[in-house]
Amino acid sequence: MEDDNATNDAIKAASNPSLDEIKQPVKAQPKPRPKKAPELPIFERRNWLIHLHYVRKEYEACKMLIKEQVAETSGMCEYPLYVQALILRQMGRIQESLECFQTCALINAQNSDNLKQVARSLFLLGRHKAAIDVYSEAARMSSRDWEISHNQGVCYMYLKEYMKAKEMLKQAIQFNRHDLSYVMLAKIYLMEGDIHMAIDVYKRAIEFSPENPELLTTLGLLYLQMNQNQRAFEHLGNALTYDPSNVKAILAAGSMMQQHNDYDVALTKYRIAAAAVPESAPLWNNIGMCFFGRKKYVAAISCLKRAGYLASFDWRILYNLGLVHLTMQQYASAFHFLSAAINLKPKMGQLFMLLAVALTHLDDTDNAKQAYEQALQLDSKDVSILLNFSLFLYNLGDRKTATKHFIAFEQSMQKLKDTGAADLDAELMDTAGKLGPALQVGESLVWKDKANQPSTSPSAPLPAPPPYTDTSTEALANAPTPPTHDPAASEQNSNTRSDRVAVPSQ
Amino acid sequence: MDPMYMAYSLFRRRKFEDCINICTELLEKNPYDQAAWSLKTRALTEQVYVDEIDVDEEGIAEMLMDDNTIAQITRPGTSLKKPGTGQGAPSAGVRPLSQSGRPLSGFVRPGTQSGRPGTMEQAIRTPRTAHTARPVTSASGRFVRLGTASMLSTPDGPFINLARLNFSKYAARPNLAKPLFEYIFHHENDVRNALELAALATEACGFKDWWWKVQLGKCYYRLGLYRDAERQFKSALKQQEMVDTYLYLCKVYVRLDQPLTAIDIYKQGLEKHPGETALLTGIARIYEGLNDMTNAVKFYKQVLHNDNTHVEAIACIANYHFYTDQPEIALRYYRRLLQMGVYNAELFNNLGLCCFYAQQYDMTLSTFERALSLSTDDLLTADIWYNIGQVAVGIGDTSLALQCFRLALVSNNDHPEAYNNLGVLELRKGHLDQARAFFQAAESLAPHMFEPHYNFATLSDQVGDLQSSYNATKKAIEAYPEHCDSKELLEQLKKHFSIL
């Protein structure tokens, strides 16, 4: 019976396109003879069966067979041990699998596969230096092996030796093109802060495998960072056609739609993602800003607060909360959220500008002035800061400095118009149009005008569009989440005596 | 004034100490004064009386060694031991857990069991207050009284020598038997003798008195004979529909792990006593035990409809609203508790949290200060400091947060959440080794929390130690199966392991 099965299975195995990673030491089956099965040496008699079970993921049966084989050969069989190590690795027991692979390497030192696996195990354990050494040894046995070069590159990346890592990965791509090598190479460029090169690498990767949604999404995100929206949209759209429920792509595409004020479409997109990741802070942040765009401020605040509860260290959420509260004219809360955001991200001009607007309404002009100055120091190019500061000074009655900042504002606007870049905010232009004449005309007129000058009623011009999700190539929300735990928030007295005081018992 | 009259009057006014002294004098004059004798037993009993319904403690032995449950593997939602995922309950990512799968309740009772230890070893290793509101003992410790303890209250030896009593003589006289039984049961905690007396007394009154049946049931329940107790309570209910009896019967069913039967019985009781808050609270507690928050809150609201000062219901509803993104409503409920005159550290701590999350910044810190000044024990102080740390994180002041979490650890060295958050703060500074140590401390203290596992996994993943990362991720998913980030990380790691 075994023999019948054997031949059948052997035929199956032959027709089964096996993974190319395992060089089976099984000899080619001779032509089937009706007399009896071929005599294989005892060590390798059942390797084909072990392999078959392994590739079918039938690990239990596989382990049984391996046990028998190891017992029969008193541990001198290479392939069963090799498969056993692979199974152990799949179960996450890397240390044991490393020992197994080392045994294999001892049994057959000529096989570079064994060495490669030992090195791989070392890599998985985080011992990168040792892994590189073993890989170099394996490279001496087999030349032109992309796997070795690739893995060495990754190890160098972990050791922060980027030059060597890039070299190795490029070598690996020369030997054999592979998605992973491209991804790692791009990762290194991003770590060095070179987005252009990273985009190049991804472009080449997509030429090679155009249907990989991960690659498409990441490239889209990179284009988004470079503000090349059209291309980004193309790639993200492609990614979504291949994988409609890819959360990363949905978030990125949604945030682009939001930039074009297409809130309803973005919300429908987010609805898909919300089912998959109900506790993702970036997602709730974006949903909140969608509601904000549709002037549903209360819904926006509740969404943003949920996002803030889930991710306490995300300055974007705090920024948005401050913005929404400014719009709702709740200046105390706005100040609170904005100052929290500044604590987490101190080098951002717009935050200080919003803080100054909040302070203006809280009747703290000295601090507001300081905040404006800080904002200008950090970001002297932002037109809204200049205009707001100018308006603020005008309201204080400091005409001279107000005029100075207004002129600077007009120059920046001129530049923007020349480049034709931004679609200028209507409200911004409106306010500027009112403030301009007010500053230019004679003093007496101004005081008359002031009665019907809406610009003098302190208005908070819209700041720049709020920042959206993290568009880095790292997975979203990779930061460790602090637990939003309030253990005591729900504890009454755990003492019987006082409980009886608290509960009027019948 | 006649001393006997005086003693009765004192007893009515619950001045037991003076009442006992007068009775003792009377008994010295006349050792056969039955009225004084029975009054003294009653006064002694009342001094230490604790309502039997609320005394529901399981020691380690009861949790692990006895098997009263019928079904070993239950359908989700039909057992208190393996609560289902529940409806309307906030997930573990939002609401903290006291044990795996049991969110913190809004109110701690002596019978609160949040989760159960799996094995004896586990039960001994976990902190003693992890499963009940009081430190766990091997068997229900409150009922084991050493001789010395009972002697202390009476310097000249015990009041009644149980060994010398002739129970059959007393059983025939109900006016003596009832106080005597209560004395034996509540003061002496001698269940076996109490049972003997109750059995004789029931017989003496021809099985017509529901009260004796209930007492028999109570004795059986204490002895762990739940089916016998159930029989007694049922037959008592046939005679007389009392709220007490319904509550006792449901206690039995909860102990037998049949929550749905218990709910049925409660509902039968509600037909007889419409709007009885004790029954409604019982239903709500069971639903909360099953993690079915929608129904639990519904019943708690019915409780408030009938009795709008019910502390437990208010606290539970407030807690529910706080964790479902409605801190303003929670604040209103907690303020109601404050108006009712509840004045303790827990309440002020909760008020502070609600104020902060509902953006009432003027009240936040003063309530926390009040909580700190009212706090009586270190565990509570630690929790308050921990929450002030959360507020500090909320205003972006990480150095203040660091101080607060450290203070929490000073007050309570085994505060896993504080360890975890310290780890996160250290990680933000880039101190990987310290962060790792903090996460590991948190992991070992609270294996049921998913945050330290997940944080440790991401940290290990960053430095490339994929084996530790894999193991930690596995634990995180075990603690909180719906966590998407953990799942994503596990997928990535599996990919790493299968690629050659």
Side-chain angles (χ1 to χ4, degrees), chain A residues 135-152:
Chain A
Y135 270 126
S136 320
E137 217 168 297
R140 252 180 273 133
M141 285 186 204
S142 65
S143 55
R144 298 196 58 78
D145 187 334
W146 81 267
E147 208 183 307
I148 293 175
S149 315
H150 169 90
N151 280 323
Q152 274 182 309

Side-chain angles (χ1 to χ4, degrees), chain A residues 56-358:
Chain A
R56 289 183 187 170
K57 295 210 157 92
E58 295 165 352
Y59 295 144
E60 283 312 307
C62 210
K63 277 189 210 157
M64 295 281 297
L65 272 172
I66 290 168
K67 221 175 187 167
E68 280 174 31
Q69 283 297 96
V70 171
E72 221 166 87
T73 60
S74 62
M76 288 304 290
C77 47
E78 186 193 357
Y79 187 69
L81 282 175
Y82 185 87
V83 174
Q84 185 177 22
L86 285 179
I87 292 173
L88 283 172
R89 179 188 287 172
Q90 298 258 342
M91 289 162 67
R93 289 151 65 180
I94 313 289
Q95 189 60 48
E96 292 164 58
S97 85
L98 171 65
E99 282 155 21
C100 263
F101 280 127
Q102 276 167 336
T103 322
C104 289
L106 283 177
I107 293 171
N108 182 355
Q110 302 316 307
N111 189 349
S112 69
D113 269 346
N114 290 339
L115 277 182
K116 273 198 294 196
Q117 293 297 0
V118 171
R120 174 99 191 141
S121 297
L122 286 170
F123 161 74
L124 292 177
L125 285 171
R127 288 152 64 182
H128 301 119
K129 267 209 169 63
I132 288 176
D133 295 346
V134 181
Y135 270 126
S136 320
E137 217 168 297
R140 252 180 273 133
M141 285 186 204
S142 65
S143 55
R144 298 196 58 78
D145 187 334
W146 81 267
E147 208 183 307
I148 293 175
S149 315
H150 169 90
N151 280 323
Q152 274 182 309
V154 177
C155 287
Y156 279 125
M157 184 187 85
Y158 274 111
L159 293 172
K160 303 220 166 24
E161 295 181 32
Y162 296 138
M163 284 303 295
K164 275 184 178 167
K166 277 190 287 197
E167 206 176 297
M168 281 293 174
L169 284 167
K170 280 173 185 162
Q171 203 179 41
I173 290 171
Q174 272 174 10
F175 292 153
N176 197 343
R177 295 198 296 178
H178 230 274
D179 288 355
L180 252 184
S181 311
Y182 285 118
V183 172
M184 287 296 167
L185 192 56
K187 204 170 168 178
I188 294 172
Y189 279 124
L190 284 177
M191 280 179 181
E192 292 177 330
D194 187 350
I195 290 191
H196 289 285
M197 280 307 287
I199 287 181
D200 264 5
V201 172
Y202 268 112
K203 269 190 195 157
R204 271 184 286 150
I206 281 174
E207 278 166 26
F208 169 63
S209 63
E211 295 195 7
N212 184 338
E214 286 300 316
L215 294 179
L216 288 165
T217 309
T218 320
L219 184 58
L221 287 173
L222 288 175
Y223 275 132
L224 206 57
Q225 270 178 318
M226 303 289 292
N227 289 330
Q228 300 183 347
N229 287 350
Q230 193 47 44
R231 282 179 172 169
F233 204 77
E234 238 168 73
H235 285 104
L236 290 170
N238 282 345
L240 283 174
T241 45
Y242 292 122
D243 179 5
S245 59
N246 185 328
V247 176
K248 247 164 93 176
I250 287 177
L251 274 178
S255 73
M256 286 179 63
M257 290 164 191
Q258 275 173 275
Q259 279 175 2
H260 298 303
N261 302 341
D262 203 345
Y263 300 115
D264 295 315
V265 183
L267 272 176
T268 48
K269 279 262 177 265
Y270 292 143
R271 204 158 286 149
I272 303 167
V277 282
E279 286 169 19
S280 150
L283 175 73
W284 283 109
N285 175 46
N286 288 10
I287 291 175
M289 290 326 276
C290 268
F291 283 128
F292 178 66
R294 290 168 60 187
K295 305 262 188 299
K296 293 188 173 170
Y297 298 126
V298 177
I301 286 180
S302 64
C303 287
L304 285 169
K305 275 176 80 174
R306 169 176 286 196
Y309 187 88
L310 292 168
S312 330
F313 290 113
D314 195 338
W315 64 270
R316 293 177 187 77
I317 297 166
L318 291 165
Y319 176 105
N320 290 340
L321 272 166
L323 188 67
V324 179
H325 280 97
L326 274 183
T327 320
M328 296 276 285
Q329 299 180 353
Q330 296 182 357
Y331 300 109
S333 294
F335 170 81
H336 159 88
F337 288 118
L338 289 166
S339 70
I342 285 175
N343 276 330
L344 296 172
K345 192 169 175 71
K347 293 269 177 286
M348 189 168 172
Q350 284 181 343
L351 274 171
F352 278 100
M353 179 194 76
L354 291 183
L355 190 74
V357 173

Side-chain angles (χ1 to χ4, degrees), chain B residues 1 5 14 29 35-36 99 136 241 269 287 289 293 314 319 328-329 349 351 358 367 384 391 447 456-457 464 466-467:
Chain B
M1 210 184 287
Y5 173 82
R14 304 185 62 79
K29 282 180 200 153
Q99 287 290 305
V136 175
E241 308 273 2
Y287 275 127
M293 284 313 288
I314 294 175
N319 175 340
E328 303 85 0
I329 298 174
N349 168 51
L351 276 170
T367 43
I384 296 166
V391 172
F456 187 67
L466 302 186
Q467 178 174 355

